[in-house]
Amino acid sequence: MDCRYIWKGSFFMENEVEKENTKALLAIREVEKAVVGKEDCIVKIMAAILAGGHILLNDIPGVGKTTMAMAFAKAMDLQTKRIQFTPDVLPSDVLGFSIYSKETGQFLFQQGPIFCNLLLADELNRTSPKTQSALLEAMEEGKASVEGETRQLPVPFIVIATQNPCGSAGTQLLPESQMDRFMISLSMGYPLPEDEISILKGEGSKRALEEIVPVMGGSNILLTLRQKTQMIYLHDAMYEYIMKLVTQTREHSLLELGISPRGSLAIVKMAKAMAFLRGREFVIAEDVEDIFTNTAAHRLVLTMRARAGKKRAEQITEEIIKSVKKPTIRRNYGGN
């Protein structure tokens, strides 16, 4: 398939030669078969996957969070497991456990669903903090410690988690340490009326999941794309721009907790991934701006005054973007 086309405001730029990001662009097009009208979310999720991060879909029920995750799993042809979190789910239900075998006279370890390439953690905030914590080591180090033994998870390992921010019955808020391990947090929102009409007519329904064709060829291609993404060039001026944005969150009068160094690194990785998807070998300010709110807002802790004034973290990050001067860099620079 020729990916030399312009998409939604020149997101994909025309090129004379086939781009290394072709497989990622094809996967995006496949996901769009099942998820209608959410191009921006789809692109940012793909960017987070290329950047080696985990994704939190924080939205009301029924807008397609689970369908989005399943569509990505099928398009990338990854080994996928799903956990429907409820209050009675235990850590062993996630990590696995050992059972006694009469034939061998030994205990055999039965892997839990976490041993996969892509884990769909559905309604993560409905389980207990003890079970939520079972994901911490896995998300940060790609390992799972069970019964005194640490086991390596498959590579790559990606978590796409969903949670419902509305209604507190039976929910447990994710702690800051868990939120910080998600590279991005997205809210899909209601579809536009014309998009919802397409959904009602049958487009983008779960039947469309069956039409998705695996185009990534499994984990090896994804790992190669990640290596290419890491090679995207970031000018010193861009590093300084990112640090100015981060410093603003740490000094803001309405924030108790700003962006951590892990969050700063996530911004760098996401900006590189966006540049890669856009067919560039270097990052520009627009790449940082486009992903800053989704990468930063869920890491912030608002003051009592901000919460009393019904201020939202997303509003503060948008204000910070407007207050920090963008660096001026020649668009044709290379590594010099």
Side-chain angles (χ1 to χ4, degrees):
M1 175 180 178
D2 188 357
C3 284
R4 296 177 293 173
Y5 53 82
I6 297 176
W7 177 84
K8 294 294 181 182
S10 70
F11 187 91
F12 299 141
M13 298 184 300
E14 186 175 357
N15 297 282
E16 294 181 357
V17 296
E18 184 177 2
K19 286 292 183 179
E20 294 173 333
N21 60 8
T22 299
K23 290 290 185 181
L25 304 186
L26 288 172
I28 289 172
R29 294 298 290 265
E30 290 299 315
V31 174
E32 288 177 348
K33 293 179 180 179
V35 183
V36 177
K38 299 298 177 183
E39 291 88 354
D40 183 64
C41 286
I42 294 172
V43 169
K44 288 178 179 177
I45 290 174
M46 177 57 73
I49 291 173
L50 293 177
H54 307 290
I55 301 99
L56 177 63
L57 299 178
N58 188 37
D59 216 328
I60 60 175
V63 294
K65 301 186 298 296
T66 302
T67 301
M68 175 81 81
M70 295 175 67
F72 266 98
K74 188 169 183 181
M76 294 187 296
D77 195 21
L78 297 176
Q79 181 189 10
T80 308
K81 299 288 180 65
R82 176 182 178 181
I83 306 176
Q84 180 65 52
F85 283 98
T86 56
D88 60 345
V89 173
L90 300 174
S92 59
D93 296 326
V94 178
L95 302 176
F97 52 88
S98 294
I99 60 174
Y100 181 74
S101 173
K102 292 183 178 180
E103 289 77 12
T104 62
Q106 297 177 336
F107 282 91
L108 300 178
F109 179 69
Q110 304 295 311
Q111 292 184 348
I114 200 172
F115 288 86
C116 64
N117 293 126
L118 195 154
L119 177 67
L120 172 55
D122 221 350
E123 295 188 291
L124 180 59
N125 62 328
R126 292 204 172 274
T127 194
S128 67
K130 183 177 182 180
T131 303
Q132 291 175 6
S133 66
L135 288 174
L136 289 176
E137 181 183 23
M139 292 175 66
E140 183 66 18
E141 301 177 21
K143 300 176 182 177
S145 295
V146 188
E147 300 171 351
E149 183 177 348
T150 300
R151 294 175 169 84
Q152 184 70 44
L153 296 176
V155 179
F157 175 69
I158 305 160
V159 174
I160 299 182
T162 71
Q163 71 170 3
N164 175 17
C166 300
S168 58
T171 63
Q172 301 281 347
L173 291 176
L174 297 179
E176 286 77 11
S177 60
Q178 182 94 343
M179 294 293 287
D180 201 32
R181 281 165 168 77
F182 287 102
M183 181 167 284
I184 61 170
S185 176
L186 294 168
S187 178
M188 296 174 63
Y190 291 116
L192 295 174
E194 56 269 27
D195 293 328
E196 190 159 359
I197 290 174
S198 297
I199 294 172
L200 295 176
K201 290 181 177 180
E203 299 178 28
S205 65
K206 290 189 176 181
R207 288 181 300 175
L209 286 171
E210 302 175 0
E211 301 176 4
I212 293 178
V213 179
V215 293
M216 292 281 280
S219 59
N220 289 336
I221 291 179
L222 177 56
L223 294 175
T224 300
L225 292 178
R226 284 185 173 181
Q227 292 176 352
K228 299 292 184 182
T229 301
Q230 293 172 3
M231 295 170 62
I232 297 296
Y233 178 71
L234 201 72
H235 195 275
D236 285 345
M238 295 306 306
Y239 280 112
E240 294 174 4
Y241 176 54
I242 291 172
M243 278 312 305
K244 288 179 181 178
L245 294 171
V246 170
T247 302
Q248 286 283 327
T249 69
R250 297 171 181 174
E251 299 176 351
H252 202 284
S253 61
L254 296 179
L255 295 176
E256 289 183 2
L257 185 67
I259 299 175
S260 67
R262 183 192 285 125
S264 303
L265 184 59
I267 294 171
V268 170
K269 291 181 178 179
M270 280 293 295
K272 287 185 176 183
M274 290 296 280
F276 178 78
L277 286 174
R278 286 169 167 161
R280 272 187 277 100
E281 297 178 350
F282 56 90
V283 172
I284 61 176
E286 285 74 13
D287 298 324
V288 178
E289 290 179 351
D290 287 347
I291 55 86
F292 181 71
T293 293
N294 296 117
T295 312
H298 65 287
R299 306 173 192 272
L300 306 178
V301 177
L302 277 62
T303 62
M304 287 291 294
R305 182 162 65 94
R307 292 195 293 269
K310 297 185 177 180
K311 198 80 170 179
R312 297 171 59 246
E314 290 80 4
Q315 292 175 308
I316 295 176
T317 56
E318 293 297 334
E319 292 170 1
I320 289 174
I321 291 174
K322 293 178 181 178
S323 68
V324 177
K325 183 179 179 181
K326 292 190 289 187
T328 303
I329 303 175
R330 296 192 309 273
R331 293 182 65 87
N332 63 342
Y333 73 81
N336 300 319

